[in-house]
Amino acid sequence: MKNQTVLTATGGSAITKVLYTGKVHITGGREGKAKSTDGRLDIELSTPGSIGKGTNPEQLFAAGWSACFIGAMQHNAAAAKIKLPEGTSVDTEVDLGTGEEGFALQARLQVNLPGLSVEEATSIVAAAHQTCPYSKASRNNINVEISVAV
């Protein structure tokens, strides 16, 4: 099989140092299988709402974004000398739908920071949304709603 570049997209901030590269091989699309080159991810895929036994890309995106967002909050909270509460969590919903331009995504993040003041929580979440790579990738590309519970 010969490699040929078909499309290259640029935009956003240029990376000057790669910290990690996730490598995943997919077969069968939404009804297929996903396996990472290191073997740590090896899952069945299924279409959203189907009776298939696997997960789907929207769930994977929601999980990745939630985990990354918590990491960004930890980073920003440490810089602000604020300790994140034990019960810190993010519940993310990613919708797959259609619109005027065909298929599209939209997302809602519910950030839970029990015990912090509204001001501290809002500050940390706003900073995390600016530093989280998933937030950066989605900014101005999909509708995103972030709410905070303290």
Side-chain angles (χ1 to χ4, degrees), residues 4 51 121 129-130 142:
Q4 181 180 2
I51 59 171
H129 190 50
Q130 294 303 310
I142 67 172

Side-chain angles (χ1 to χ4, degrees), residues 17-120:
K17 179 181 179 184
V18 174
L19 301 175
Y20 175 77
T21 300
K23 297 178 184 180
V24 178
H25 180 75
I26 305 290
T27 56
R30 287 184 173 274
E31 295 293 331
K33 188 169 177 75
K35 186 171 184 176
S36 62
T37 56
D38 64 6
R40 297 176 116 192
L41 176 72
D42 188 357
I43 57 172
E44 301 283 329
L45 300 172
S46 62
T47 302
S50 73
I51 59 171
K53 62 181 176 179
T55 188
N56 58 66
E58 291 72 28
Q59 290 173 328
L60 293 169
F61 185 59
W65 196 348
S66 295
C68 186
F69 202 88
I70 289 174
M73 286 193 303
Q74 290 168 334
H75 173 80
N76 289 292
K81 297 188 181 354
I82 297 172
K83 182 172 175 18
L84 289 183
E86 187 80 20
T88 295
S89 64
V90 177
D91 298 303
T92 301
E93 298 176 342
V94 174
D95 299 325
L96 169 64
T98 58
E100 291 178 9
E101 296 182 18
F103 292 108
L105 298 175
Q106 64 184 17
R108 291 171 302 287
L109 285 75
Q110 169 65 54
V111 181
N112 306 297
L113 295 165
L116 288 187
S117 71
V118 172
E119 296 78 22
E120 289 174 324

